[in-house]
Amino acid sequence: QPQNMKKRILLTLAIVAPLLAKAQIQFDGGMMLHAGLMNSPILTEGYKAKGMTTGTGGVIQIHVGEHFRIGGEGYVSTLQLMDNGSYAQSGWGGLTFNYKTQFDRWHPFIGMTIGGGESSALLVTEGNTSDWHSETAATFHKEPFFLISPYIGCEFALTERIHLTAKIDRVIPLSD
């Protein structure tokens, strides 16, 4: 399924990009590095994943009028666990929309993402994943979820085309 999703995204971009260029529709976006906090039980093992996550993501948005933007965003965030190759990971994305205003070079915004994702965890309870031996005492678990993610942020315009963005969001899973 991930291969099909990648093909769909590339096909959509191949169709939409020339249309946007001809219509001179304004859009923005880019790649983002992010950090966050995870405090979540891993139900299959009774283990609690707690700590700082890191990851990458991105967003692309079309401007609708002077203050509104709509688009898509997605992220993958990983928390390393137990210093043996174990991890907890969340990947999510969806439709994002926000309201943005401008004060000189500062562009504060508020918005929401509605979408879905998948949480996965690998717990190696014996051994170490860096030794190239098969691990027999390990558990892998993954599950999909539906989410909403309200956020606030601010962009600082270095130039007309290059902005630095800081954003705070809260991913709220709506499914078990």
Side-chain angles (χ1 to χ4, degrees), residues 6-7 21 33 59 86 93 117 122 124 129 150:
K6 288 178 186 177
K7 288 178 185 175
L33 300 175
V59 64
S86 298
L122 172 67
V124 179
T129 58

Side-chain angles (χ1 to χ4, degrees), residues 47-87:
Y47 182 84
K48 190 156 193 157
K50 187 175 183 179
M52 185 168 176
T53 64
T54 57
T56 60
V59 64
I60 186 162
Q61 304 173 116
I62 296 171
H63 296 219
V64 180
E66 188 176 340
H67 296 287
F68 293 96
R69 300 183 292 188
I70 186 168
E73 70 176 349
Y75 300 91
V76 174
S77 190
T78 304
L79 171 63
Q80 301 299 324
L81 301 171
M82 303 189 287
D83 295 322
N84 66 356
S86 298
Y87 65 86

Side-chain angles (χ1 to χ4, degrees), residues 5-20:
M5 181 62 81
K6 288 178 186 177
K7 288 178 185 175
R8 287 183 197 147
I9 290 171
L10 289 174
L11 180 61
T12 302
L13 288 174
I15 293 169
V16 171
L19 296 174
L20 290 175

Side-chain angles (χ1 to χ4, degrees), residues 107-163:
H107 304 250
F109 58 88
I110 185 168
M112 176 161 314
T113 298
I114 299 171
E118 183 174 82
S119 290
S120 61
L122 172 67
L123 297 179
V124 179
T125 53
E126 226 176 84
N128 189 320
T129 58
S130 64
D131 61 12
W132 293 98
H133 292 106
S134 296
E135 307 302 336
T136 56
T139 302
F140 182 74
H141 178 75
K142 67 179 182 175
E143 62 183 275
F145 60 90
F146 179 70
L147 68 90
I148 60 170
S149 180
Y151 58 83
I152 60 170
C154 190
E155 298 173 9
F156 178 75
L158 293 175
T159 70
E160 184 179 331
R161 294 189 177 261
I162 299 174
H163 293 202

